[in-house]
């Protein structure tokens, strides 16, 4: 993502779109929706934010059951694989100050709720940056139902400050990924 920044527009090339369409025709119908390919085919995206990858992931653990699942997945290596990368449990957050040789034992004694920190064991590069964008080719009839009241409140707040804002026409688009609580 080093070559893009907020307010840039990127678009799917015709050849790329055609290749995705070819791949979709070879997939089982149930898999087609889960790929997200339809979102990319002939898409044009307005970049709204770019967050640099720091090579670490924070994982909130809400329940004892979730912690038990993580313990099984991590095993003795204390590593997870995600998106082609390996992440190792770090001496941070809920395990702050724990010596590396004591991490396995401390993790075994940990209780939920807590926050765990995982650090990538590979080099950090811009290919893993978090990019949020709006697909300008996929307008929606209105905001998602779950966000409708949030949109109404935001519009009312703007209209209360700026009289002319009531004449602005809003168009909603499919966007993503977005942080919870943001419009």
């Amino acid at each position: 993502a080093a070559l893009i920044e907020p307010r840039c527009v990127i678009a799917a090339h015709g050849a790329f779109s055609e290749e995705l369409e070819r791949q979709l025709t070879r997939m089982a119908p149930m898999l087609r929706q889960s790929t997200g390919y339809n979102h990319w085919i002939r898409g044009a995206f307005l970049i709204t934010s770019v967050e640099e990858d720091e090579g670490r992931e924070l994982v909130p653990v809400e329940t004892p059951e979730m912690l038990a699942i993580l313990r099984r997945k991590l095993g003795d290596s204390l590593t997870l694989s995600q998106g082609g990368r390996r992440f190792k449990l770090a001496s941070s957050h809920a395990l702050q100050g724990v010596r590396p040789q004591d991490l396995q034992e401390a993790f075994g004694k940990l209780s939920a709720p807590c926050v765990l920190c995982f650090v990538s064991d590979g080099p950090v590069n811009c290919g893993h940056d978090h990019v949020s964008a709006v697909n300008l080719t996929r307008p929606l009839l209105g905001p998602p139902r779950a966000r409708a009241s949030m949109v109404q409140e935001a519009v009312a707040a703007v209209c209360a400050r700026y009289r002319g804002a009531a004449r602005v026409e809003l168009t909603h688009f499919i966007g993503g990924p977005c942080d919870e609580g943001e419009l």
Side-chain angles (χ1 to χ4, degrees):
L3 300 177
I4 60 174
E5 58 187 38
R7 298 183 307 279
C8 287
V9 174
I10 59 173
H13 190 277
F16 176 71
S17 294
E18 289 168 9
E19 176 58 27
L20 291 181
E21 287 174 324
R22 268 193 296 283
Q23 290 181 25
L24 280 174
T25 61
R26 290 183 233 139
M27 286 182 194
M30 287 184 63
L31 287 177
R32 291 179 190 157
Q33 291 298 353
S34 67
T35 65
Y37 286 7
N38 286 327
H39 189 60
W40 285 99
I41 295 171
R42 285 182 272 301
F45 303 86
L46 172 64
I47 306 300
T48 58
S49 72
V50 179
E51 296 175 27
E52 188 176 333
D53 175 48
E54 298 175 348
R56 69 182 189 125
E57 296 290 332
L58 298 180
V59 178
V61 180
E62 303 295 335
T63 66
E65 294 80 20
M66 185 176 174
L67 187 57
I69 291 168
L70 270 172
R71 284 187 177 117
R72 282 194 302 275
K73 285 188 177 205
L74 291 174
D76 293 336
S77 68
L78 298 178
T79 60
L80 283 175
S81 293
Q82 177 187 1
R85 298 170 78 187
R86 281 179 20 120
F87 289 87
K88 186 159 182 66
L89 186 63
S91 296
S92 181
H93 292 73
L95 296 168
Q96 182 71 39
V98 175
R99 297 181 314 174
Q101 62 269 30
D102 299 330
L103 210 49
Q104 183 81 38
E105 182 182 347
F107 181 53
K109 293 178 180 176
L110 203 59
S111 60
C114 62
V115 176
L116 299 174
C117 180
F118 292 86
V119 179
S120 173
D121 68 355
V124 175
N125 65 55
C126 64
H128 297 287
D129 289 354
H130 178 80
V131 178
S132 294
V134 175
N135 188 343
L136 300 174
T137 64
R138 307 285 195 274
L140 300 172
L141 295 175
R145 266 189 232 142
R147 304 263 188 203
S149 63
M150 192 178 193
V151 170
Q152 289 172 343
E153 290 171 16
V155 168
V158 170
C159 289
R161 283 186 76 184
Y162 308 101
R163 280 186 314 145
R167 294 188 304 272
V168 173
E169 183 179 322
L170 293 180
T171 303
H172 301 273
F173 294 92
I174 293 175
C178 297
D179 295 321
E180 191 63 35
E182 284 191 19
L183 287 178

